[in-house]
Amino acid sequence: MISYILGIESSCDETAAAVVRNGKIPLSNIVSSQVDIHSKYGGVVPEIASRKHIESIIPVVNEALEQAGVSTESIDAVAVTQGPGLVGSLMVGFSAAKAIAYSLNRPLVYVDHLEAHITAAHLENDISFPFIALIVSGGHTNLYYVSGYTEFELIGKTRDDAAGEAFDKAAKILGLGYPGGIEIDRLSRSGDPGKIKFPRPFLDKKNFDFSYSGLKTSLLYYIKDNPESIEKEIEDICASYQEAIVDTLIAKTLSAANKYNVKNIVVSGGVACNSRLREFSIEIFTKRGMNIYIPSPKFCTDNAAMISALGYFRLESGERAAMDKGTYSTARG
Ligand code: KG4
Ligand code: ZN
């Protein structure tokens, strides 16, 4: 019987390992972040990220086993992120996972990073199917119709920038450092979200796609036309910009829930740490009698517990990875 899954995640700038029992009980969740290294470059430098993953992967796996209180031999299977992500970074986790599975003679399973962000919601809640999942990360903004633990149908996505990218690029324009989402979130708390009227792109469209590059451009023009505003009203700029992102995310998720006649909603991914998105989605969906599930921040940002969890459900459905398969994706997770 497969019960204890070691999960490994290295798609971007976090080296992570975790042990999860039966897909739902996290026994450990170790994340080694490289954010301090990359912040001085204003973004993730892929070559540096791969090298840091090589240094961290074994200590992080050992720490995950230790924190879980399990021996290497008690691991029943290994799950690893196959993509999307930076190819050099993915290769490190991939190679480690393969080597561990091979040496222990245990099954290996490959997991999609974005689908795993959805599965993260099962780590803290029992959620009945079907549900609509909004995944908002640094590289993706996707809406899914989810009908089972391994049944994900992509129903909408961003046509250009992701929501996290919109936060990070705005922070750069405003001189707030990297990654910018957290800083914009913090400054927004003392700002007026109705002060500046930023556009809400694609709300007039009937599909479930998003677009954020125009929003970023309108911020750029606003700053160009009002250069003194960064000094005078940074909190109002942040709050108004954040509100435009959050409004469109929630409006599209709500219209998907209505169209598919679904009562359960999941919001996950790094941007789901945003306090306004959390607060506003709880307000909007509960008011309509819907159930909203947003994982704790440690399960929203990149982590390996979500990889172990989805790995478990994929193994349960009979999937096994071939040892000779390579990694494939190059887009950021
Ligand atoms: O899912 P994630 O940890 O990594 C990727 O797979 O990309 O997401 C990272 C993204 C970054 O763009 C970061 O700025 C954003 O999540 N983020 C936030 C907040 N915390 C992290 N965005 C807005 N508000 C936050 N509090
Ligand atoms: Zn992610």
Side-chain angles (χ1 to χ4, degrees):
M1 201 181 72
I2 288 176
S3 177
Y4 290 85
I5 314 287
L6 171 68
I8 294 178
E9 150 68 34
S10 68
S11 64
C12 193
D13 60 341
E14 265 100 22
T15 321
V19 179
V20 173
R21 182 149 54 90
N22 296 343
K24 292 207 172 173
I25 305 154
L27 304 178
S28 64
N29 188 34
I30 306 296
V31 180
S32 167
S33 174
Q34 305 174 6
V35 69
D36 293 344
I37 299 162
H38 298 287
S39 62
K40 57 174 173 284
Y41 303 102
V44 177
V45 184
E47 184 58 27
I48 296 176
S50 331
R51 284 164 195 255
K52 287 309 290 179
H53 282 307
I54 293 171
E55 286 170 24
S56 310
I57 191 82
I58 299 300
V60 164
V61 167
N62 285 338
E63 209 179 324
L65 293 169
E66 201 172 300
Q67 192 185 76
V70 297
S71 65
T72 321
E73 286 70 33
S74 38
I75 293 300
D76 298 313
V78 183
V80 64
T81 307
Q82 66 173 12
L86 300 168
V87 79
S89 293
L90 288 164
M91 279 299 290
V92 179
F94 224 70
S95 309
K98 271 186 190 174
I100 294 167
Y102 186 73
S103 65
L104 291 172
N105 195 23
R106 299 288 193 277
L108 176 69
V109 67
Y110 302 138
V111 161
D112 179 277
H113 179 89
L114 297 158
E115 293 174 356
H117 270 304
I118 301 175
T119 311
H122 297 299
L123 292 166
E124 296 171 306
N125 291 286
D126 282 321
I127 309 169
S128 52
F129 299 103
F131 60 80
I132 294 291
L134 169 69
I135 299 305
V136 267
S137 75
H140 294 82
T141 301
N142 288 356
L143 264 176
Y144 295 84
Y145 175 79
V146 185
S147 51
Y149 286 112
T150 58
E151 307 299 321
F152 308 96
E153 185 193 339
L154 183 64
I155 58 169
K157 61 181 177 19
T158 184
R159 299 276 182 95
D160 40 61
D161 289 353
E165 216 170 342
F167 273 110
D168 295 341
K169 286 181 175 168
K172 216 171 208 172
I173 293 169
L174 298 170
L176 297 175
Y178 173 87
I182 299 172
E183 197 52 17
I184 291 183
D185 187 353
R186 189 183 67 79
L187 288 165
S188 296
R189 283 178 208 150
S190 35
D192 173 4
K195 183 78 181 287
I196 305 151
K197 298 278 170 263
F198 286 119
R200 266 73 171 153
F202 273 38
L203 278 196
D204 52 331
K205 303 241 176 348
K206 279 211 158 26
N207 60 30
F208 303 120
D209 288 345
F210 305 86
S211 167
Y212 287 113
S213 69
L215 177 62
K216 172 198 65 196
T217 309
S218 67
L219 171 69
L220 202 60
Y221 280 118
Y222 184 82
I223 301 299
K224 225 170 151 192
D225 295 342
N226 309 277
E228 74 299 338
S229 63
I230 295 193
E231 282 282 306
K232 280 196 354 222
E233 48 169 14
I234 185 84
E235 292 88 353
D236 293 338
I237 298 171
C238 287
S240 304
Y241 186 84
Q242 174 178 274
E243 199 70 5
I245 296 177
V246 169
D247 264 359
T248 45
L249 290 174
I250 292 181
K252 289 282 174 174
T253 309
L254 182 60
S255 59
N258 288 335
K259 156 119 196 264
Y260 285 84
N261 198 18
V262 160
K263 287 264 170 281
N264 293 335
I265 311 289
V266 164
V267 180
S268 185
V271 180
C273 294
N274 183 268
S275 53
R276 181 65 184 143
L277 177 59
R278 296 177 86 90
E279 167 196 281
F280 200 32
S281 34
I282 291 167
E283 182 191 321
I284 293 289
F285 295 112
T286 46
K287 211 193 268 173
R288 286 164 177 77
M290 298 177 179
N291 305 307
I292 166 88
Y293 303 95
I294 314 174
S296 311
K298 69 176 180 203
F299 294 132
C300 278
T301 49
D302 286 352
N303 68 87
M306 66 184 195
I307 305 300
S308 307
L310 181 53
Y312 172 82
F313 295 114
R314 292 224 167 274
L315 288 156
E316 280 277 284
S317 67
E319 285 184 38
R320 299 289 184 276
M323 280 290 179
D324 59 353
K325 192 181 170 203
T327 177
Y328 64 81
S329 181
T330 52
R332 192 180 155 191

